[in-house]
C-alpha cells in the first residue's frame, strides 16, 4: 500500500529515451545469442565427418569470440568515454550487420573465424557505450530498476533466440527441399540473415535516439591483468567475497565445458541444429526458473548456504548429463542445471552488491568479469582439444553397448569440478555452522527458517532495529514505537544492552571506555548474558501477552560486532546467542544502513568503548550487517540511513503495516515531524 500523500513513481519504461535504448538492447541481445548458436552450428556443419576436427572447429569459434575482450577491452572502454556514444553504437551495429551477412556468402570456416573476431571487436565498443549511456537517460533513483531490466533482456532473450534458431533451422531444411537452388545452402544461413537484420534494426532505433551526451575526457581503464591482480588482493582479505568468487568462477568453468562441447554432444545423441537450439535454450529457461521461483521455494534457507548448495547440485546434475544418452532426459536435466546456475548467479551478484563497499564495488565486478573471461577462454580452449584427443570409445557389457566419447569426458570433468568448487564455496560462506543442512532444507521447503531450540510460538510481534554507530536506528525505533501506540497497539520499546537491572550493570562494563583490555570472547559472553536476561525478563513476557516488542539491537549486533568486528568465529557467536535467547528470532529486522564515516560524525559527547574503535572496525561491522540481511531477505528491511529521517520512517511504516495483526491500520498520520537528534 502506498503511504498517504505519496505518489507512486512512474515505471522506468515510461521514460521514452530509455525505452528506445532498452528496445535496441533487446534486439541486439537476441541477435547476439542467435549469433552464438548459428556460428557454432555452422562450424560443426562445415567440419562434419571427423569427430576430432569438428570438436576443434567449434572450440575455435568460442576462442575467437572471447579473445578480443581480453586484449582490447580497456581500449574500447576509453573509446566510449571520449567519443559520441550514439554514433559509436550506430556505427558498431552497421558494421556487425555487414560482417554477419558476409558469412552467409563466404561459406568457409576460415572466414567464419575472421568474421567472429571482427564482430566481437565491434561489440567491445558497443557495450561500454551502452552501459555508460544508461545513467544519463534515467533518474538516479530508477537506475537499479533500469539495470534489472537490462539484465532481463541480456539473459532473457537467450531462450527466445534458442527457440527462434530451432524454428529457423526447420524452415531452412524445408526451403532446401522445396527449392533445388538452395540445396547447397547451409541450414544456418537463415538464422545468420535474421541475426544481421537484428543489428540493423538496433542501428535505426539508436540513430533516432537523441540526448546521449558526448564525453570529452577519457577515463583510464586498467588492463585485464592489472584488474585481476588488484582484485585478488581485495578478495584475499574478505572470506565471504572469496567464497563468492570461487563459486562463481567454478560455475563459469563448468559452463565453459558445457558450451564448448554442447553442439558435438547433441549431435552424438542423434540431434541436429534444432535439437542443439533446444538444449541451449533449456539452460536459460532453467536460469529464469531458478531466479524467479527457486529463491521463493527456498526462501527460508540462508542465502550463503543456498549459493554453495546450488553449485554442488549443478555439478551433480552435470555429471548425470555426461552419462545419460537420452536427448529428452538431457533436456530436462539441462533445465535443472540452468535453475541451479540462476540461483547461484543472482545470489552471488546480490551478495557482492551488499558486501562490497561502493568505492570497491565497480572494481570487484570488473575483476569478476575479467577473470570470468580468462576462465572461459582457458576452459573452452582446453575442452575441445581434450574431447578431440580422447576421441570415441565403445564399451560392451554383456549384450549392452555404451558409447563414451570426448564430450562425455569433458562434461564429467566439468561436473566434478563444479561439485568440488561448490563445496569449497559452501565451507567459506556457511553462516549456520552447527545447524544440520538437512534440517535447514526441510524447514525451507515448509516455508520456514529453521531455528534450533525454538520454544513455543509466541502470540505477539517482535521487531528489531539494527545498524552501526550513529545509523539512526535508536531514533527510528522510538518513532515506530510511538506510531504503533497511536494505532492502539500494546507496544514495549526496549534496547540492548541495559534493559534489565542486570543488563544495566553489564552495559556499564561493556561501554566503559576505560575497559579497553576486555577480551573479545568475554565481550561476546557479556552481551549474550545481557540478551538472555533481556529475553527472559522483558521480551518473552511482552510477546506472551500479545504485545508488539520493538528492540534497539538484538542478536545480529553480536554477529556483526563480535563476529566480524572482533573476528570471532561467527558459528560460535551464533551458537552462544541461540542458546541465550532460546532460538527466539524477530519477525522483522530493520537494518538502517549508514556508512561509518557518516554515522560516526553524528555522535555527540565522549565516545564510548565501541564508538572509539577505528574506522576499519566499523566498516567490517557494516559489511556483516549487510551480509546478514542478504542471507535472509524475507525477514529484513534494509533502509538507506543517509535519506531524510521522515522518508526512512515512512519506508519502515510501509513494511511494518504488512505484518501487523488484524485489523491493519490503513491510514494514519506519519510520525515525521520534528526529528530528535540522531544518535545511537
Amino acid at each position: 500500500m502506498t503511504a498517504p500523500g505519496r505518489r507512486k513513481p512512474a515505471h522506468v519504461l515510461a521514460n521514452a529515451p530509455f525505452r528506445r535504448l532498452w528496445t535496441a538492447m533487446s534486439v541486439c541481445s537476441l541477435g547476439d545469442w542467435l549469433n552464438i548458436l548459428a556460428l557454432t552450428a555452422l562450424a560443426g556443419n562445415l567440419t562434419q565427418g571427423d569427430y576430432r576436427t569438428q570438436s576443434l572447429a567449434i572450440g575455435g569459434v568460442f576462442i575467437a569470440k572471447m579473445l578480443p575482450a581480453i586484449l582490447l577491452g580497456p581500449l574500447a572502454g576509453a573509446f566510449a568515454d571520449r567519443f559520441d556514444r550514439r554514433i559509436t553504437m550506430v556505427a558498431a551495429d552497421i558494421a556487425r550487420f555487414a560482417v554477419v551477412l558476409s558469412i552467409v556468402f563466404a561459406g568457409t570456416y576460415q572466414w567464419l573465424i575472421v568474421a567472429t573476431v571482427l564482430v566481437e571487436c565491434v561489440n567491445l565498443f558497443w557495450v561500454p557505450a551502452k552501459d555508460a549511456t544508461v545513467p544519463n537517460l534515467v533518474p538516479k533513483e530508477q537506475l537499479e530498476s533500469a539495470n534489472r531490466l537490462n539484465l532481463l533482456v541480456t539473459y532473457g532473450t537467450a531462450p527466445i533466440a534458442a527457440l527462434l534458431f530451432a524454428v529457423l533451422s526447420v524452415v531452412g531444411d524445408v526451403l532446401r527441399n522445396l527449392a533445388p537452388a538452395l540445396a547447397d545452402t547451409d541450414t544456418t544461413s537463415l538464422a545468420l540473415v535474421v541475426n544481421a537484420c537484428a543489428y540493423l534494426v538496433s542501428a535505426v532505433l539508436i540513430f533516432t535516439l537523441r540526448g546521449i551526451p558526448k564525453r570529452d575526457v577519457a577515463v583510464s581503464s586498467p588492463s585485464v591483468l592489472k584488474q585481476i591482480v588488484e582484485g585478488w588482493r581485495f578478495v584475499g582479505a574478505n572470506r565471504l567475497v572469496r567464497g563468492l568468487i570461487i563459486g562463481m568462477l567454478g560455475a563459469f568453468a563448468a559452463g565453459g565445458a558445457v558450451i564448448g562441447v554442447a553442439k558435438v554432444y547433441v549431435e552424438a545423441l542423434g540431434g541436429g541444429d534444432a535439437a542443439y537450439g533446444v538444449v541451449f535454450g533449456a539452460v536459460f529457461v532453467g536460469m529464469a526458473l531458478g531466479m524467479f521461483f527457486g529463491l521463493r521455494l527456498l526462501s527460508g534457507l540462508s542465502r550463503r548456504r543456498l549459493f554453495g548448495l546450488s553449485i554442488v547440485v549443478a555439478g551433480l546434475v552435470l555429471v548425470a548429463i555426461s552419462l545419460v544418452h537420452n536427448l529428452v532426459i538431457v533436456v530436462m536435466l539441462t533445465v535443472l542445471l540452468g535453475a541451479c546456475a540462476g540461483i547461484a548467479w543472482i545470489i552471488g551478484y546480490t551478495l557482492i552488491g551488499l558486501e562490497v563497499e561502493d568505492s570497491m564495488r565497480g572494481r570487484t565486478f570488473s575483476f569478476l568479469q575479467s577473470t570470468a573471461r580468462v576462465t572461459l577462454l582457458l576452459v573452452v580452449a582446453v575442452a575441445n582439444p581434450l574431447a578431440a584427443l580422447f576421441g570415441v570409445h565403445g564399451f560392451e557389457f554383456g549384450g549392452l553397448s555404451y558409447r563414451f566419447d570426448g564430450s562425455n569426458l569433458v562434461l564429467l570433468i566439468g561436473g566434478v569440478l563444479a561439485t568440488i568448487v561448490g563445496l569449497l564455496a559452501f565451507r567459506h560462506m556457511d553462516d549456520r555452522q552447527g545447524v544440520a543442512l538437512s534440517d535447514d532444507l526441510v524447514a525451507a521447503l515448509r516455508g520456514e527458517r529453521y531455528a534450533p531450540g525454538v520454544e513455543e510460538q509466541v502470540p505477539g510481534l517482535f521487531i528489531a532495529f539494527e545498524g552501526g554507530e550513529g545509523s539512526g536506528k535508536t531514533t527510528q525505533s522510538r518513532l515506530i514505537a510511538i506510531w504503533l501506540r497511536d494505532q492502539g497497539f500494546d507496544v514495549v520499546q526496549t534496547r540492548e544492552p541495559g534493559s534489565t537491572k542486570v543488563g544495566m550493570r553489564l552495559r556499564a562494563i561493556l561501554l566503559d571506555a576505560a575497559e579497553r583490555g576486555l577480551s573479545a570472547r568475554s565481550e561476546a559472553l557479556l552481551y549474550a548474558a545481557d540478551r538472555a536476561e533481556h529475553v527472559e525478563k522483558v521480551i518473552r513476557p511482552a510477546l506472551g501477552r500479545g504485545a508488539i516488542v520493538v528492540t534497539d539491537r538484538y542478536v545480529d549486533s553480536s554477529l556483526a560486532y563480535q563476529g566480524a568486528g572482533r573476528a570471532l568465529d561467527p558459528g560460535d557467536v551464533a551458537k552462544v546467542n541461540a542458546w541465550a535467547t532460546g532460538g527466539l528470532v524477530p519477525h522483522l529486522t530493520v537494518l538502517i544502513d549508514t556508512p561509518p564515516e557518516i554515522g560516526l560524525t553524528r555522535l555527540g559527547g565522549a565516545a564510548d568503548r565501541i564508538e572509539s574503535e577505528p574506522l576499519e572496525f566499523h566498516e567490517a561491522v557494516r559489511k556483516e550487517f549487510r551480509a546478514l540481511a542478504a542471507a535472509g531477505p524475507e525477514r529484513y528491511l534494509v533502509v538507506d540511513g543517509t535519506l531524510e529521517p521522515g522518508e526512512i520512517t515512512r519506508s519502515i511504516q510501509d513494511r511494518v503495516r504488512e505484518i501487523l495483526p488484524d485489523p491493519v491500520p490503513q491510514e494514519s498520520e506519519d510520525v515525521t515531524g520534528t526529528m530528535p537528534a540522531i544518535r545511537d
Side-chain angles (χ1 to χ4, degrees):
M1 175 180 173
T2 304
R6 298 181 69 192
R7 184 177 179 182
K8 186 177 180 180
H11 194 276
V12 66
L13 287 179
N15 182 322
F18 173 74
R19 185 172 64 248
R20 185 177 292 272
L21 178 62
W22 185 78
T23 304
M25 290 166 53
S26 304
V27 174
C28 269
S29 293
L30 180 66
D32 289 339
W33 290 116
L34 197 58
N35 182 261
I36 292 174
L37 287 161
L39 292 181
T40 51
L42 179 59
N45 295 342
L46 290 174
T47 54
Q48 279 183 337
D50 187 305
Y51 179 85
R52 289 183 171 85
T53 303
Q54 191 178 44
S55 297
L56 293 173
I58 295 173
V61 172
F62 286 111
I63 292 174
K65 288 188 76 67
M66 286 180 283
L67 194 58
I70 295 175
L71 299 178
L72 302 178
L75 174 63
F79 189 96
D81 282 330
R82 181 177 293 275
F83 296 98
D84 188 295
R85 291 168 182 160
R86 183 173 68 94
I87 298 302
T88 298
M89 287 187 283
V90 170
D93 279 332
I94 293 175
R96 290 191 291 186
F97 163 76
V99 174
V100 171
L101 200 59
S102 71
I103 300 173
V104 178
F105 297 102
T108 65
Y109 179 75
Q110 290 78 10
W111 177 248
L112 183 152
I113 294 297
V114 173
T116 300
V117 172
L118 292 176
V119 168
E120 292 308 310
C121 287
V122 174
N123 280 347
L124 291 176
F125 293 92
W126 194 91
V127 172
K130 176 264 297 181
D131 289 340
T133 297
V134 172
N136 294 322
L137 297 182
V138 299
K140 183 179 180 181
E141 61 272 14
Q142 290 188 323
L143 184 57
E144 183 179 349
S145 297
N147 287 333
R148 278 201 302 267
L149 284 172
N150 295 346
L151 186 65
L152 173 66
V153 297
T154 299
Y155 295 100
T157 51
I160 300 174
L163 178 61
L164 180 60
F165 178 75
V167 171
L168 292 174
S169 297
V170 173
V171 172
D173 280 333
V174 172
L175 291 176
R176 289 204 309 169
N177 293 329
L178 294 177
L182 300 176
D184 295 331
T185 304
D186 192 273
T187 56
T188 60
S189 296
L190 187 57
L192 286 170
V193 171
V194 174
N195 171 207
C197 291
Y199 293 137
L200 188 60
V201 170
S202 173
V204 173
L205 288 170
I206 294 174
F207 183 75
T208 58
L209 176 62
R210 305 296 175 181
I212 300 179
K214 178 180 177 181
R215 293 284 298 274
D216 296 324
V217 180
V219 179
S220 61
S221 180
S223 66
V224 171
L225 180 60
K226 186 174 181 180
Q227 288 176 355
I228 292 175
V229 171
E230 291 181 349
W232 272 121
R233 289 175 181 169
F234 172 70
V235 169
N238 189 305
R239 184 179 178 85
L240 173 62
V241 176
R242 186 164 63 248
L244 285 169
I245 297 297
I246 289 173
M248 295 180 80
L249 290 182
F252 271 113
V258 176
I259 292 171
V261 300
K263 165 65 176 172
V264 177
Y265 185 60
V266 170
E267 196 167 284
L269 296 177
D273 287 344
Y276 172 47
V278 171
V279 172
F280 189 90
V283 175
F284 293 94
V285 170
M287 285 185 69
L289 292 174
M291 288 180 179
F292 289 100
F293 299 108
L295 295 177
R296 296 180 184 180
L297 179 65
L298 297 171
S299 60
L301 187 63
S302 159
R303 289 297 182 261
R304 298 192 192 188
R305 283 191 151 191
L306 183 55
F307 176 80
L309 180 63
S310 62
I311 296 177
V312 170
V313 174
L316 296 176
V317 171
L318 188 53
V319 169
I321 291 174
S322 72
L323 300 176
V324 172
H325 283 179
N326 184 290
L327 186 57
V328 175
I329 296 177
V330 165
V331 171
M332 291 189 292
L333 289 174
T334 302
V335 172
L336 180 57
L337 174 68
C340 294
I343 291 172
W345 182 262
I346 197 167
I347 291 176
Y349 260 66
T350 301
L351 288 180
I352 289 177
L354 289 171
E355 176 69 13
V356 180
E357 292 292 338
D358 185 64
S359 59
M360 282 293 299
R361 195 175 301 140
R363 277 175 284 177
T364 303
F365 279 121
S366 178
F367 159 70
L368 175 61
Q369 291 162 3
S370 299
T371 313
R373 289 175 192 163
V374 174
T375 302
L376 280 171
L377 177 61
L378 291 176
V379 171
V380 172
V382 171
N384 285 278
L386 178 61
L389 183 64
F390 187 79
V392 181
H393 297 273
F395 301 93
E396 297 291 337
F397 303 95
L400 300 176
S401 61
Y402 184 81
R403 168 186 165 126
F404 191 84
D405 56 33
S407 58
N408 295 106
L409 178 64
V410 169
L411 292 174
L412 180 62
I413 293 174
V416 172
L417 174 65
T419 303
I420 294 172
V421 167
L423 291 171
L424 286 174
F426 187 92
R427 181 181 175 186
H428 273 78
M429 299 173 60
D430 188 8
D431 59 344
R432 303 265 289 167
Q433 295 179 16
V435 177
L437 179 60
S438 58
D439 293 335
D440 247 359
L441 277 173
V442 171
L445 291 172
R446 293 175 182 163
E448 305 169 354
R449 181 174 174 84
Y450 178 72
V454 175
E455 297 179 6
E456 75 285 350
Q457 293 294 317
V458 291
L461 184 65
F462 187 17
I463 303 173
F465 280 74
E466 300 283 9
E469 306 304 314
S471 61
K473 60 177 178 51
T474 301
T475 297
Q476 293 299 331
S477 64
R478 182 165 60 251
L479 292 173
I480 290 301
I482 294 171
W483 174 71
L484 288 169
R485 289 192 187 101
D486 288 344
Q487 315 310 312
F489 290 106
D490 178 8
V491 181
V492 173
Q493 183 189 352
T494 184
R495 69 171 184 176
E496 290 186 358
S499 283
T500 63
K501 291 182 178 180
V502 172
M504 292 174 64
R505 297 176 184 176
L506 293 173
R507 181 182 179 90
I509 297 172
L510 287 165
L511 301 184
D512 188 351
E515 298 288 348
R516 301 293 295 178
L518 188 65
S519 72
R521 290 177 182 272
S522 297
E523 180 181 279
L525 291 171
L526 288 174
Y527 274 113
D530 168 79
R531 189 162 294 123
E533 190 76 359
H534 186 208
V535 169
E536 181 70 22
K537 299 292 179 61
V538 179
I539 298 177
R540 282 199 178 277
L543 293 175
R545 70 171 188 265
I548 299 177
V549 176
V550 178
T551 181
D552 177 1
R553 295 202 183 281
Y554 193 57
V555 173
D556 285 0
S557 283
S558 285
L559 295 174
Y561 279 85
Q562 283 75 56
R566 302 298 189 203
L568 294 177
D569 187 313
D572 291 342
V573 178
K575 288 177 187 176
V576 168
N577 281 276
W579 180 71
T581 63
L584 182 63
V585 178
H587 296 92
L588 173 66
T589 299
V590 179
L591 172 60
I592 311 295
D593 180 38
T594 305
E597 59 271 20
I598 295 177
L600 293 174
T601 62
R602 296 172 173 176
L603 303 176
D608 62 32
R609 193 175 66 88
I610 302 297
E611 294 169 351
S612 60
E613 292 292 340
L615 182 62
E616 292 76 13
F617 172 89
H618 295 287
E619 288 175 343
V621 168
R622 184 195 181 202
K623 288 180 181 179
E624 185 63 17
F625 272 133
R626 290 158 64 99
L628 290 169
E634 73 288 343
R635 191 174 61 80
Y636 284 82
L637 170 66
V638 181
V639 185
D640 185 353
T642 63
L643 298 175
E644 290 297 320
E647 187 174 351
I648 295 174
T649 304
R650 286 189 292 269
S651 297
I652 300 171
Q653 288 173 342
D654 289 344
R655 179 61 182 273
V656 171
R657 281 191 183 99
E658 299 174 3
I659 61 173
L660 285 176
D662 293 331
V664 178
Q666 296 300 314
E667 293 191 14
S668 62
E669 183 179 354
D670 289 342
V671 186
T672 56
T674 303
M675 295 293 170
I678 298 177
R679 186 188 188 279
D680 290 341

